[in-house]
Amino acid sequence: HKARAPLNQWRELICEAQSSPAGMEKLLGILRDDSEESRFFKGFEPFPGILDDAEIDLFAWTSRH
């Protein structure tokens, strides 16, 4: 499945963010970045179905969709 690699990257980022301040800074940097690469990465949401549309609209990042 084409989403496997990006979802595994999400898992790694989240685990790093939980284990160290540097990991959290790395995750926040990706979430705040608006480069083409970060938009592509953010197009693979790690928690599908947990947030409803109104909750998703509260986030400021731009998706590739």
Side-chain angles (χ1 to χ4, degrees):
H1 190 273
K2 68 178 184 172
R4 183 171 289 155
L7 291 175
N8 282 334
Q9 288 177 306
W10 269 116
R11 179 190 324 260
E12 290 173 18
L13 284 169
I14 291 167
C15 287
E16 287 178 36
Q18 290 174 326
S19 66
S20 73
M24 179 60 78
E25 286 300 316
K26 181 178 177 182
L27 176 61
L28 291 174
I30 290 170
L31 293 174
R32 292 174 178 148
D33 189 27
D34 195 33
S35 69
E36 184 175 339
E37 181 180 7
S38 68
R39 286 192 308 266
F40 173 80
F41 182 64
K42 289 182 276 189
F44 294 92
E45 299 175 25
F47 309 111
I50 294 176
L51 302 178
D52 63 29
D53 289 340
E55 292 169 317
I56 291 171
D57 288 342
L58 297 174
F59 291 95
W61 70 63
T62 304
S63 175
R64 66 184 176 91
H65 299 290

